[in-house]
Amino acid sequence: LRSDYQELSATTNDADNLVNQPLRTPQVQVAVFFSELPDNSFKVSLRSRGSFDCSRLAELLGGGGHQNAAGVRLEGDLESVRKLALD
């Protein structure tokens, strides 16, 4: 959340690579990272390996990318954005 960035004197750019960290675990096939932006929207970053196509999900939500890396910007509070992206 933005309050976390403020507390750490960080920017959303500082968190850009965090979505890749779960994929370092062999059992993890898909990673999703939600980052609250200054305009109260959320950047949803998607990463995968294997057969899951991140771009298809991102495109359904209005974003884009390619099979193993995609993203979308969504409006709403964290819970509604999380539900929309993960359901």
Side-chain angles (χ1 to χ4, degrees), residues 1-32:
L1 296 173
R2 282 185 309 150
S3 59
D4 295 326
Y5 290 114
Q6 292 167 345
E7 182 180 328
L8 298 170
S9 298
T11 68
T12 55
N13 291 338
D14 294 322
D16 278 349
N17 238 357
L18 289 176
V19 68
N20 297 313
Q21 295 307 308
L23 294 175
R24 296 178 68 182
T25 302
Q27 296 85 353
V28 175
Q29 297 296 305
V30 179
V32 181

Side-chain angles (χ1 to χ4, degrees), residues 18-79:
L18 289 176
V19 68
N20 297 313
Q21 295 307 308
L23 294 175
R24 296 178 68 182
T25 302
Q27 296 85 353
V28 175
Q29 297 296 305
V30 179
V32 181
F33 186 77
F34 299 88
S35 181
E36 187 177 16
L37 300 173
D39 66 357
N40 296 318
S41 66
F42 281 85
K43 175 182 174 184
V44 182
S45 300
L46 307 160
R47 299 293 184 272
S48 71
R49 63 169 150 221
S51 62
F52 185 84
D53 188 346
C54 289
S55 68
R56 290 186 63 200
L57 174 57
E59 288 170 7
L60 285 171
L61 298 171
H66 56 86
Q67 179 169 335
N68 297 121
V72 62
R73 185 183 203 144
L74 297 173
E75 301 285 330
D77 60 71
L78 178 58
E79 189 56 32

